[in-house]
Amino acid sequence: MLPSDKEYQAHTVFSELDRYINFYRTLSEEVFRYVTLGIEARGNMDSYILSSIQGTLTSIHMILRRGMINDSYALLRKIYDLSIITIYANLYVEEQMSVKNVLSRPSYIVQQIQDWLHGKKTFPKKLNKPKYILKHPRVAPITRILLSGESNERYE
């Protein structure tokens, strides 16, 4: 089957991608107005990440239309990585904003995440995100699913 074939262009994956794109766009817009404690940003930290997922899904849609299936796998990996980063960042901010931690430092800003969001620093490549989130009881069930079969060499 060629990308120019009607059967290819009418495949259900395209309507599903449209649905996911719309979902992430709407979700990003809805959470934007809620403040992320510990972060100085215009809107919610998750809104930026959800918007990035929406844009990546749009790119997947476009390249699949052209028949570049292998390239879509690389973009799927980006969404997977964004999921891990999102879980890590939210847990880290939550932990840093706990009463115990807030009272022991001079600022209410979680500097590591703040600098990353504002482009002052890159997100650390060699960070033990999977181990950090696997041990956290709030997200252990979903993290086990996300990391099932993952060697974690990419993050270690």
Side-chain angles (χ1 to χ4, degrees), residues 36-78:
T36 303
L37 294 179
I39 304 296
E40 288 179 334
R42 291 184 188 150
N44 188 294
M45 173 179 70
D46 293 328
S47 181
Y48 296 106
I49 296 167
L50 293 167
S51 178
S52 179
I53 292 172
Q54 179 251 316
T56 303
L57 288 168
T58 301
S59 297
I60 290 171
H61 189 281
M62 290 180 349
I63 63 172
L64 282 178
R65 283 276 183 210
R66 295 183 177 170
M68 300 174 186
I69 295 171
N70 288 337
D71 292 344
S72 68
Y73 286 115
L75 291 174
L76 279 174
R77 182 60 193 214
K78 178 185 174 197

Side-chain angles (χ1 to χ4, degrees), residues 6-17:
K6 284 185 180 182
E7 183 181 0
Y8 179 89
Q9 294 296 321
H11 195 279
T12 57
V13 73
F14 296 111
S15 61
E16 285 296 309
L17 281 168

Side-chain angles (χ1 to χ4, degrees), residues 26-149:
T26 304
L27 188 58
S28 173
E29 291 168 359
E30 289 300 316
V31 302
F32 183 79
R33 62 180 163 233
Y34 297 99
V35 176
T36 303
L37 294 179
I39 304 296
E40 288 179 334
R42 291 184 188 150
N44 188 294
M45 173 179 70
D46 293 328
S47 181
Y48 296 106
I49 296 167
L50 293 167
S51 178
S52 179
I53 292 172
Q54 179 251 316
T56 303
L57 288 168
T58 301
S59 297
I60 290 171
H61 189 281
M62 290 180 349
I63 63 172
L64 282 178
R65 283 276 183 210
R66 295 183 177 170
M68 300 174 186
I69 295 171
N70 288 337
D71 292 344
S72 68
Y73 286 115
L75 291 174
L76 279 174
R77 182 60 193 214
K78 178 185 174 197
I79 292 173
Y80 173 86
D81 291 345
L82 278 170
S83 301
I84 299 297
I85 289 168
T86 303
I87 293 169
Y88 172 82
N90 277 291
L91 288 175
Y92 188 79
V93 167
E94 180 182 295
E95 185 177 288
Q96 295 302 307
M97 292 306 294
S98 71
V99 173
K100 177 183 82 172
N101 288 325
V102 168
L103 296 176
S104 66
R105 60 175 203 264
S107 172
Y108 291 109
I109 302 301
V110 180
Q111 204 60 49
Q112 177 185 353
I113 306 298
Q114 176 78 14
D115 290 347
W116 171 63
L117 281 175
H118 289 244
K120 293 179 182 175
K121 292 184 179 176
T122 59
F123 205 83
K125 291 180 182 175
K126 297 280 184 179
L127 191 59
N128 231 336
K129 293 182 289 286
K131 288 182 182 174
Y132 179 83
I133 60 181
L134 270 172
K135 73 175 186 158
H136 205 288
R138 283 196 64 200
V139 295
I142 189 68
T143 305
R144 279 191 207 96
I145 293 168
L146 284 170
L147 298 175
S148 65

